[in-house]
Amino acid sequence: MKDKKKSIDADKKESIKASATITAKHFYKDIPSGSGIEAASDGFYVIGDDTPFLYQLDKNYKQVAKYELFDTADFKNGRIPKPLKPDLESLATFTYKDKSYLFTIGSGSSEVRKKAYLVELPINSEKPEVKVIDLKGLFDTLQKNKSIVGDELLNIEGLDFSDDKVYLLQRALNKAGNLVLTFELSDFNAFLFEDKPLPKPELYFVKLPSLQGYQAGFSGAYVLEDKLFFTASVESAPDAIQDGEVLGSCVGFIPLADLPKATNADKPVIAKAAIVTDENEKTYIGKIESLVVDKGEKNGKCKVIAISDDDKGHSEILEVEFMVE
């Protein structure tokens, strides 16, 4: 018990100069298990990890459309059963040959979770053309890499693109830590559109805060300027498949310039992060899954739009003021 308290105190000390305070909430009864959010030209796109639909919201967070990404036969009682769900955990946009695309991928933690879906933007049809991409080869290769997964399952929970890089975030579990995996964007585009092989990713190790003796695990990514913003949640889950009790979530960032210094697991980069709380400083007991940064930093503050999954088939969007002193 004494050792656990020391761990908690140390983590508080690391994150004491940052705060993440919820300023507004928006609840969605009919958007199940929110797991990814991305900015759109006039609002946001949202996905869930056990739904076949892509949801579109306006700037006031009102749902205005939904699009079918794949067959809905397994979408029963408002959710796809856990053994069958594709576990879409990440959503991001990128540009290839002057065209914009929305890209969502599974976590890779089981055979049914090794697919990606690509939609060209803007969406001008109720049934947009969706390209299905098999990521089994990539995910199987990553799973075999003990530097990434240790003795655990692969669990990719974050994805985003910069002008020249692709960032994948592997979620920590038990003794396996949080990692940032990067590819050259040109190589990734050749993989997606030209069936070219992907080279090995660069690996960077990251230390996040803990709660009650459990380390936070990456759950979402967003690149803005020179920073990799992220969400992470603290969950007492036994593995990458089963859900556990959610103890809290955090928001933070890693300066991109710091990543090359973190190639050694024994010397991880320490992220600047804060546990998400309400205005009364009470910890938000919810599983925050993804984010977009609505506004750049000003006086150390920025506005984060995050999506949360309650593991009961509902979703919540949070407006969060994130501040680093």
Side-chain angles (χ1 to χ4, degrees):
M1 200 58 194
K2 186 176 181 181
D3 289 340
K4 181 183 286 189
K5 187 174 188 303
K6 282 186 177 180
S7 174
I8 294 171
D9 289 345
D11 292 323
K12 284 184 178 179
K13 185 176 180 181
E14 289 171 3
S15 62
I16 198 169
K17 292 185 178 180
S19 63
T21 306
I22 297 171
T23 58
K25 297 180 181 180
H26 309 272
F27 180 75
Y28 299 87
K29 180 182 178 181
D30 298 321
I31 299 180
S33 310
S35 59
I37 186 169
E38 176 62 306
S41 59
D42 54 356
F44 305 91
Y45 292 110
V46 166
I47 54 166
D49 66 21
D50 56 11
T51 170
F53 297 108
L54 168 71
Y55 302 86
Q56 188 170 2
L57 312 180
D58 64 18
K59 291 182 179 180
N60 296 315
Y61 310 105
K62 179 182 178 181
Q63 181 184 328
V64 293
K66 70 176 181 179
Y67 309 99
E68 184 177 312
L69 291 175
F70 52 87
D71 184 74
T72 60
D74 296 322
F75 189 61
K76 301 173 181 177
N77 300 317
R79 304 172 76 182
I80 300 173
K82 186 181 288 289
L84 302 176
K85 73 177 187 177
D87 202 31
L88 300 179
E89 293 286 357
S90 308
L91 185 66
T93 53
F94 70 100
T95 301
Y96 175 70
K97 291 187 176 180
D98 298 323
K99 292 184 178 180
S100 295
Y101 295 91
L102 192 66
F103 189 57
T104 178
I105 65 173
S107 63
S109 57
S110 73
E111 289 303 308
V112 297
R113 302 177 178 191
K114 296 179 180 180
K115 291 181 180 179
Y117 300 89
L118 190 69
V119 180
E120 186 175 338
L121 296 175
I123 299 175
N124 296 316
S125 169
E126 292 183 1
K127 292 187 176 182
E129 182 177 346
V130 180
K131 181 179 180 180
V132 183
I133 299 168
D134 187 353
L135 295 181
K136 178 176 171 56
L138 170 62
F139 282 163
D140 285 353
T141 298
L142 298 179
Q143 178 66 62
K144 293 175 183 177
N145 189 332
K146 295 297 183 181
S147 296
I148 298 174
V149 299
D151 295 323
E152 304 297 337
L153 289 174
L154 185 73
N155 195 11
I156 300 298
E157 295 257 349
L159 160 77
D160 206 9
F161 299 83
S162 67
D163 291 339
D164 59 351
K165 300 279 187 184
V166 181
Y167 297 86
L168 299 179
L169 274 56
Q170 162 70 3
R171 180 177 174 83
L173 183 66
N174 298 324
K175 293 183 179 180
N178 290 288
L179 274 86
V180 176
L181 291 69
T182 69
F183 296 93
E184 293 296 326
L185 180 57
S186 57
D187 292 334
F188 202 79
N189 282 336
F191 167 73
L192 291 181
F193 296 98
E194 303 168 22
D195 296 322
K196 297 289 181 64
L198 264 179
K200 292 182 179 180
E202 298 293 332
L203 306 181
Y204 306 110
F205 298 84
V206 182
K207 180 176 173 56
L208 300 183
S210 297
L211 275 176
Q212 299 182 32
Y214 293 97
Q215 66 176 324
F218 281 136
S219 60
Y222 190 83
V223 177
L224 180 64
E225 298 174 347
D226 60 348
K227 296 179 178 65
L228 173 59
F229 287 84
F230 63 84
T231 53
S233 59
V234 184
E235 188 177 5
S236 58
D239 55 47
I241 304 294
Q242 302 301 316
D243 295 322
E245 181 186 1
V246 179
L247 306 176
S249 295
C250 64
V251 170
F253 70 81
I254 306 159
L256 294 178
D258 287 353
L259 287 178
K261 308 170 188 175
T263 56
N264 189 324
D266 295 327
K267 296 181 180 179
V269 60
I270 298 176
K272 298 182 183 296
I275 302 298
V276 177
T277 66
D278 62 19
E279 58 184 9
N280 297 316
E281 299 187 356
K282 182 179 179 180
T283 299
Y284 174 74
I285 306 300
K287 190 176 182 181
I288 298 179
E289 294 272 12
S290 184
L291 80 163
V292 297
V293 182
D294 186 56
K295 298 178 181 178
E297 286 183 88
K298 185 176 181 181
N299 299 323
K301 295 181 181 180
C302 61
K303 182 179 180 180
V304 168
I305 310 300
I307 191 163
S308 177
D309 170 14
D310 67 359
D311 284 334
K312 297 178 181 178
H314 312 124
S315 301
E316 194 167 42
I317 286 181
L318 310 174
E319 297 179 53
V320 179
E321 181 183 86
F322 178 59
M323 181 174 67
V324 177
E325 294 181 9

